[in-house]
Amino acid sequence: MAPILLNVGNESTDYLEHGLVHVKNPHLDFMEEDILYHFNLGTKTHNLPAMFGDIKFVCVGGSANRMKAFAQFIFKELELKGDCNDIDDICAGTDRYSMYKAGPVLSISHGMGVPSISIMMHELIKLLHHAKCRDVTLIRIGTSGGVGLEPGTVVITDTAVDSFFQPQFEQVVLGKVIVRSTQLDENLAQELLQCGKEIPNLPTVLGNTMCTHDFYEGQGRLDGALCSFSTEDKLEYLRKAHEAGVRNIEMESTVFAAMCRVCGLKAAVICVTLLDRFKGDQISTPHELLLEYQQRPQYLVSHFIKKHLELHN
């Protein structure tokens, strides 16, 4: 078994001086140029402060199409000048991620699973640092499987937990396991919960979100190409998850929470449930209803952003 280096308590997690975004890598200070390879951006090839210095909100989600749709939606919600259909993909030079800017809001796709969002988060945090952004709030919006919730319920994550229901993310570094806390900003979660209550017909709850490394076996699904457990095994695991406060399951929240916490970034996770995993594994909801469900986190985030911008104007 690899040695475990507990790194939960000795990494700075304060929301840092003057609200600037700080990285936790001293080696970056000695680099003449920082190439954000998967964004097709760089500190010498692009004027990052001019391009991104006014960003106050970053919303990330798995699907490139969904994040483009969100950028167009928030463009209209903020009543920005111009045509929302003219928003360009800033990362058009790469096929890994998509990035759209709508005023003070950055909308970025992160792909599926911990490895994909981890790569994106490294480059995003460096981007915000190089751009000298201040007082930035990061929110992951997405879909999930519910645990004892009706489809269409919006879950605001209290704490992101791993498959053992622990509030931690394990990262293997140079043969050692670094364990980082996945605690999210409590005040931000409560504020988002209040926003949800202010929107009609938007069922919103606060609960723990379990992050797994797989969609099928890792989430106890019976319908994958491989399955080594019984129906009762699955239901018993879900019951234990529910008892531990888990209300939904997805595949990105722990690393998102851990990286934001280490870098002192206020962050939240908001995912809508597409099914109740106690009742099944496959998503059979009609396409039109699924689209409406997927828009619910966007409505909540839009309401939150507009309240903040009005407050500071």
Side-chain angles (χ1 to χ4, degrees), residues 110-246:
H110 58 60
M112 190 181 297
V114 163
S116 184
I117 192 175
S118 171
I119 295 166
M120 188 281 295
M121 287 295 294
H122 275 279
E123 298 190 11
L124 169 61
I125 293 170
K126 292 198 297 176
L127 170 63
L128 297 174
H129 170 71
H130 292 314
K132 297 179 170 55
C133 295
R134 295 175 181 269
D135 303 315
V136 183
T137 299
L138 272 65
I139 303 176
R140 167 170 141 68
I141 55 177
T143 58
S144 62
V147 181
L149 296 176
E150 288 299 312
T153 304
V154 175
V155 180
I156 298 167
T157 301
D158 183 3
T159 303
V161 300
D162 62 16
S163 297
F164 301 98
F165 320 135
Q166 297 302 306
Q168 62 186 35
F169 173 71
E170 295 185 356
Q171 175 71 55
V172 179
V173 179
L174 303 181
K176 297 180 180 180
V177 180
I178 292 180
V179 182
R180 292 185 170 121
S181 169
T182 55
Q183 183 179 348
L184 290 159
D185 186 87
E186 182 179 351
N187 292 332
L188 177 57
Q190 289 295 332
E191 187 176 354
L192 289 164
L193 182 63
Q194 179 58 37
C195 286
K197 293 177 180 178
E198 295 169 0
I199 303 174
N201 303 314
L202 192 77
T204 308
V205 301
L206 185 70
N208 292 345
T209 296
M210 182 168 70
C211 177
T212 69
H213 294 282
D214 170 52
F215 184 81
Y216 286 98
E217 287 187 296
Q219 295 187 13
R221 278 186 158 85
L222 302 168
D223 60 338
L226 306 175
C227 187
S228 58
F229 46 86
S230 68
T231 300
E232 185 51 44
D233 291 336
K234 165 202 164 177
L235 293 176
E236 178 62 21
Y237 181 67
L238 291 179
R239 282 192 287 268
K240 289 180 179 179
H242 192 271
E243 290 171 2
V246 172

